[in-house]
Amino acid sequence: MTAPEPQTQIQARIQTPSTARNGRLSYAVFQLARAHRGYGAAMLRDMELHPGQELLLMQLFDRDGQTQSELLESVGLDHSTVSKSLRRMQDAGLLTREPAEHDRRAMVVRLTDKGRAMEKPIAAMWETLEENSVRDLAADEIEAFIGIAHKIERALKDRRRTAGEEG
């Protein structure tokens, strides 16, 4: 068994490109998101899911029988991505889509038995992802990170809203 790599060597190996030196936090967030998504995507592939499909399933686990528009709003993805994902998931036998009784233009999405059976594996995947993500962090560091992440998210959403109103 080899000794862990000293922190200074890790920092020297992971250098921020010169063009991102004035955006170090943003670059670190990008790198983190990429690593996290890649690890999660590999776990999803083992369940024969594509990234993002688990988010749709999770919404349906909590409230089955939503319209496509409601799902779109809850996951924050664009229409074409959600449509394509739902079509793939329907083809895989995870859900059904049928016109709503109240509005034949709206599509209601419901889990199949196969889709419902994904709840425990997806919950286990998120638990494993969490355990591996925070294994070197103390409880207070985890809570601080979550708080900071939410503040950054709010700042970016507020900025987008403001820019949209101005432009």
Side-chain angles (χ1 to χ4, degrees), residues 147 149-159 161:
H150 286 306
K151 282 182 181 179
I152 293 169
E153 179 186 14
R154 275 192 309 274
L156 293 172
K157 285 181 177 177
D158 288 349
R159 178 65 186 130
R161 248 182 261 121

Side-chain angles (χ1 to χ4, degrees), residues 27 51 59:
Y27 188 75
Q59 291 299 319

Side-chain angles (χ1 to χ4, degrees), residues 17 26-42 129:
S26 295
Y27 188 75
V29 168
F30 173 79
Q31 291 291 86
L32 170 62
R34 197 170 91 187
H36 197 267
R37 180 178 169 85
Y39 188 75
L129 185 57

Side-chain angles (χ1 to χ4, degrees), residues 57-159:
L57 287 170
M58 289 163 58
Q59 291 299 319
L60 292 168
F61 297 149
D62 286 348
R63 191 169 65 85
D64 200 5
Q66 294 184 55
T67 65
Q68 230 171 277
S69 297
E70 290 170 324
L71 282 171
L72 183 79
E73 191 175 312
S74 64
V75 295
L77 299 171
D78 67 81
H79 182 343
S80 63
T81 301
V82 170
S83 262
K84 184 177 178 181
S85 290
L86 291 175
R87 189 172 41 256
R88 281 182 174 172
M89 294 165 72
Q90 185 173 4
D91 291 346
L94 297 171
L95 53 85
T96 61
R97 293 184 299 168
E98 55 194 36
E101 289 180 22
H102 68 282
D103 180 353
R104 306 301 287 167
R105 295 169 298 173
M107 296 298 282
V108 176
V109 182
R110 288 191 172 75
L111 292 168
T112 62
D113 290 342
K114 182 178 178 181
R116 262 186 228 88
M118 296 299 294
E119 187 168 5
K120 285 184 181 176
I122 288 173
M125 184 233 31
W126 279 99
E127 186 175 345
T128 300
L129 185 57
E130 181 85 359
E131 288 169 355
N132 288 312
S133 297
V134 303
R135 71 172 178 234
D136 295 330
L137 299 176
D140 62 328
E141 290 174 312
I142 295 167
E143 292 307 314
F145 179 82
I146 292 169
I148 291 167
H150 286 306
K151 282 182 181 179
I152 293 169
E153 179 186 14
R154 275 192 309 274
L156 293 172
K157 285 181 177 177
D158 288 349
R159 178 65 186 130

